Each structure stands twice: as C-alpha cells, then as structure tokens.
Amino acid sequence: TYEYQVGSEGAYSDVAEFTTDKAGRKNSRFFLIGDIQDPNKKNLESIVNILNKDKYDFGVQIGDAIDNAADLGDWKEVGDLLGAKGVGSVDMINVMGNHEYYGDANADIAAAMYNNPKTREGGYYSIRYGNIYIATINFATTKGQIREAADWLVKDAVKSNATWKILCTHQPPYFTNSTGGNDVVNELLPDAVEKAGIDVVFSGHDHTAGRTMPLKGGKVDEEHGIVYYLCGAAGSKRYPITTGDKFNFKELF
C-alpha cells in the first residue's frame, strides 16, 4: 500500500493511498456502475456509500459517466465520487460510452481522465486481475470498428488461461432499447464472444438492468451459453423497454 499527495508547494491534496494487486491472487471481487450521465449525483453518491461498506479489487464504469465531455464541472463531480475521495484505492476500469465523445470528438479529455490504453471509438484492450481476464470495447459507430474489435477479441481472449473471461462493452449485444443503434452490435459481437470463450458480457447504454438466459447462437443453452448483463443506470435517465420480448431476458427492471 502506497500513500501519496498531488500538487505543488502551498497547494497539496490530502494524503490518499492505493494498494497494488497481490501476486498469485486467485479470487477477485469487483463491481459495475452503469450510465451515470446525470447532473444530479445523488444516486451515484448513494451507490458509492454502499460500495465503501465492503472491499473490492476493482470496479468497472461501463460508459457515459458524464453527459457532455466538455463540461469539466461534471468530470470533477464524477471524479470526486469514483476517485480517491470516493472509492479510494479501488482500481477503476472505464469503458468509453458515446457521451465520452460528446463535445470532445477525439475523446482527448476522457483520455486524460481515464488513462485508458485506447480511447478512440471502437478501441479495445484487455487486462487481468487474479483469475479474471477482462476485455473492454469502446463505443463504436461503424460496422468496420465493431468487426475489428470482434476479430481482436477472438485472437486476444484465446491466448489467456484465466479461469473466467468477461467482456465489458458500452453497447449491449442483446438490448432493450430499439432506438439505441445496437443492431450492428447484435449482428457481429455474439459470434465473436462465443469463439473467444467469454463467460459473461457486461454492457450499458440502454439504462436498463437485467440479464439474459445463457445464450449461444441467440438461443438458450443452459450448458454452454453466455450470460449478458445490462448494468442499469447510476443516474436518473431511463429508456422504455421496447425489445424485451425479442431476446431471451431472464430478468429486466
């Protein structure tokens, strides 16, 4: 565990700390936070208070942490809650949602805030915690971007010997909002997820919470299927569920 301060003479932050990963870790605990995207951070503040009652190795912010990337005040409020003052030394994986590009088409601001290896649209990377392989795919607007990310996922994930393999992507392959532009994700990603040996997929974008039945080839397969989670919304914005009967959701709320 390391203690640190940030600043310069006469203007230092409070002392904070972070703890590095333990060598040989076999189990990891993590949490996911769905679309925040709300000027009012009361919901997020309540979530952080709950999280701080327990211990986690890492957390995932699934995208759209802010509504407009050019609003630095919004970034500060999110940073206070998900940074050192909020969840402390818990390492945060941040997925790029479409709102990370609003007001900042090249995502230069989000790149500085998140320090992700790749912050461009359709960008991707993977990391590992203990026995968990985690792949992330940013929000994408073109079929070419999604196909490139899908091809990378298959090649990258099969090289990992992790016990569990998960994918975190802002756009859900199986969705509830027909106006969210997720059809191309549904067309291209599930096949790659299956070839890559992914166990669970976590997504946002639809501002709905739920999970599918174990799916393979779009059909229920209790033995070999993959579960797809929608991570809800940490803000107040919601979209109507318009495709709930189209896909095999076990729970939606």
Side-chain angles (χ1 to χ4, degrees):
T1 297
Y2 298 84
E3 293 184 344
Y4 67 94
Q5 284 181 296
V6 179
S8 59
E9 186 175 355
Y12 281 102
S13 69
D14 294 335
V15 176
E17 66 178 37
F18 67 92
T19 302
T20 57
D21 198 18
K22 294 179 180 178
R25 180 196 299 276
K26 298 220 174 142
N27 296 298
S28 296
R29 300 185 72 237
F30 65 96
F31 61 84
L32 292 105
I33 293 180
D35 302 57
I36 301 166
Q37 196 189 337
D38 191 339
N40 188 332
K41 300 297 187 296
K42 290 295 183 183
N43 283 350
L44 180 60
E45 187 175 350
S46 297
I47 291 169
V48 169
N49 288 337
I50 293 170
L51 293 175
N52 281 330
K53 293 178 181 178
D54 211 332
K55 291 186 177 181
Y56 296 90
D57 299 298
F58 67 94
V60 180
Q61 185 274 119
I62 209 72
D64 286 3
I66 38 76
D67 190 55
N68 188 317
D71 185 349
L72 295 185
D74 200 3
W75 280 112
K76 183 182 184 304
E77 291 176 354
V78 171
D80 284 344
L81 289 166
L82 296 185
K85 293 181 181 178
V87 293
S89 67
V90 178
D91 201 2
M92 289 297 298
I93 300 168
N94 293 285
V95 181
M96 302 287 288
N98 48 302
H99 281 264
E100 270 77 9
Y101 301 98
Y102 284 10
D104 182 31
N106 294 323
D108 293 329
I109 297 172
M113 299 292 185
Y114 293 158
N115 196 34
N116 285 5
K118 293 185 180 179
T119 49
R120 66 173 174 84
E121 282 192 0
Y124 44 80
Y125 66 94
S126 66
I127 54 179
R128 178 166 173 167
Y129 284 88
N131 60 355
I132 306 175
Y133 162 91
I134 306 128
T136 71
I137 297 177
N138 294 337
F139 173 82
T141 53
T142 69
K143 184 176 285 191
Q145 290 172 336
I146 297 169
R147 184 177 288 112
E148 178 186 328
D151 291 343
W152 162 82
L153 177 67
V154 174
K155 295 174 184 176
D156 190 68
V158 296
K159 294 184 293 185
S160 174
N161 63 354
T163 305
W164 296 96
K165 298 180 182 181
I166 69 175
L167 170 65
C168 298
T169 179
H170 183 66
Q171 295 153 284
Y174 295 102
F175 52 89
T176 60
N177 178 17
S178 58
T179 64
N182 299 317
D183 295 271
V184 66
V185 183
N186 173 258
E187 176 186 344
L188 296 176
L189 206 52
D191 182 59
V193 166
E194 292 167 15
K195 290 178 179 177
I198 299 297
D199 297 293
V200 185
V201 178
F202 297 101
S203 303
H205 196 51
D206 281 359
H207 295 237
T208 302
R211 63 188 173 101
T212 67
M213 298 287 287
L215 300 178
K216 186 174 183 180
K219 298 180 180 179
V220 177
D221 186 332
E222 294 282 2
E223 186 175 356
H224 303 292
I226 298 153
V227 178
Y228 295 78
Y229 281 85
L230 288 169
C231 297
S236 60
K237 187 175 181 180
R238 299 289 185 273
Y239 293 121
I241 297 173
T242 55
T243 60
D245 297 332
K246 182 178 180 180
F247 304 116
N248 294 288
F249 281 99
K250 184 173 183 177
E251 292 182 308
L252 277 177
F253 50 93

